[in-house]
Amino acid sequence: MIFFYSFLIFTLGACLGSFANVCIYRLPKNKQIISGRSFCPKCKKKIIWHDNLPLISFLFLSGKCRKCNKAISPRYFIVELIMGFIFLLIYLTSDSLSSIIFLSILSLIFVVIFFIDLENFIIPDVLNFSVMALGLLKNFIPNFNTSLIHEINQSIIGGIVGYVSIWLIIFLYKTFKKIDGMGLGDAKLMAGIGLLFGWQSIPFVLFVSSILGLIFVVPSLIKKQKTMRTEIPFGPFIIVACLIYFTYGEFLYSLILV
């Protein structure tokens, strides 16, 4: 029976991964995400229902549009696969329905932010504000057992510290370098993370995300494919660092504080 339920949860995750792909494509273009049929990004022709099945259709069509025969970005398949596994992992490791629903919604938003910022170098406010809203909401959910902060005062302080930490970096960088180093979208995302995990998470997430960003950009700097002025998306590194903190934060802090 557990296999059957696991299959259903994975399928649900893949289906919501398909919705995530709609958000990733449409939100940066200010298009409606609820109404309107799915269409090929290349030829703009509407996609018939059996060509829009999560994971299956991409494989069956060999990653190409049936109408124009042009390649479909593998990102569509990757996002659906990731969401399927995330939903399955949440289902297998969470001990209450409220935590399963909450973490599933949060993971969906994080995946959309990750790929929008990766492709467009922006984080839409609607996504950041959704993370903030969840960060506040979780303080009022009964029997909600996760490693998130569960005290409203700590949560609010975390939101303020998260936002100010990035704002300060932006301010100082612009003051001394006369250019924008980061965007306020990153500051709002850090505010959401502070609301979720409390101020204690901010130093860890900032440090790890900076290291990840450095690892990502250094090879390109060495090869002179990028310069110090080249724009890079910082949101994906923040989200990966947040995931590491969620999974191992308490353990890592216990090592530091011993």
Side-chain angles (χ1 to χ4, degrees):
M1 204 65 176
I2 185 69
F3 176 81
F4 175 72
Y5 284 130
S6 297
F7 175 77
L8 287 181
I9 294 297
F10 179 87
T11 303
L12 175 62
C15 289
L16 286 172
S18 182
F19 173 69
N21 277 318
V22 172
C23 296
I24 293 165
Y25 179 80
R26 296 187 186 184
L27 281 178
K29 304 177 187 298
N30 294 316
K31 293 177 179 284
Q32 286 288 333
I33 60 172
I34 303 298
S35 61
R37 288 264 305 277
S38 296
F39 56 87
C40 171
K42 304 291 177 59
C43 66
K44 309 302 180 184
K45 298 287 180 64
K46 290 182 178 178
I47 299 174
I48 53 181
W49 71 268
H50 55 79
D51 284 346
N52 206 25
L53 299 174
L55 300 175
I56 298 171
S57 294
F58 187 91
L59 295 173
F60 183 76
L61 295 170
S62 300
K64 295 181 181 179
C65 171
R66 185 186 295 274
K67 303 289 176 60
C68 65
N69 205 38
K70 290 183 178 177
I72 299 170
S73 170
R75 185 257 293 164
Y76 287 87
F77 182 85
I78 292 168
V79 169
E80 290 168 358
L81 189 64
I82 287 173
M83 285 305 305
F85 278 117
I86 287 176
F87 269 49
L88 180 59
L89 183 62
I90 291 171
Y91 168 70
L92 294 175
T93 57
S94 299
D95 57 4
S96 69
L97 180 61
S98 59
S99 60
I100 290 173
I101 294 173
F102 182 92
L103 294 175
S104 296
I105 295 172
L106 182 63
S107 65
L108 176 64
I109 296 170
F110 274 169
V111 167
V112 174
I113 290 174
F114 185 101
F115 284 95
I116 285 182
D117 199 21
L118 196 64
E119 295 180 2
N120 300 277
F121 304 100
I122 61 168
I123 305 176
D125 280 345
V126 65
L127 298 174
N128 277 330
F129 292 149
S130 296
V131 174
M132 293 181 198
L134 288 173
L136 288 172
L137 176 65
K138 58 113 173 57
N139 295 293
F140 305 99
I141 301 175
N143 302 318
F144 187 55
N145 298 318
T146 67
S147 60
L148 304 178
I149 284 291
H150 295 286
E151 211 214 84
I152 186 68
N153 292 336
Q154 290 290 326
S155 190
I156 291 173
I157 292 170
I160 294 170
V161 171
Y163 185 87
V164 171
S165 62
I166 297 293
W167 181 88
L168 196 58
I169 293 171
I170 295 170
F171 174 77
L172 292 174
Y173 200 85
K174 191 164 187 176
T175 299
F176 292 104
K177 293 287 188 178
K178 307 302 180 186
I179 58 173
D180 292 322
M182 300 173 71
L184 284 176
D186 297 321
K188 294 169 188 173
L189 178 58
M190 284 298 295
I193 289 170
L195 286 165
L196 287 166
F197 296 98
W199 67 267
Q200 299 93 333
S201 66
I202 302 304
F204 179 92
V205 172
L206 269 180
F207 176 74
V208 174
S209 58
S210 299
I211 295 298
L212 292 173
L214 199 61
I215 293 171
F216 173 80
V217 78
V218 163
S220 298
L221 291 175
I222 294 173
K223 296 177 183 177
K224 297 185 178 179
Q225 296 170 336
K226 287 183 173 67
T227 68
M228 293 301 292
R229 290 178 176 265
T230 302
E231 188 177 17
I232 64 167
F234 195 58
F237 304 121
I238 292 176
I239 289 173
V240 173
C242 176
L243 177 62
I244 294 171
Y245 181 83
F246 177 74
T247 309
Y248 302 109
E250 290 184 3
F251 171 72
L252 292 173
Y253 267 133
S254 68
L255 291 178
I256 295 170
L257 297 174
V258 167

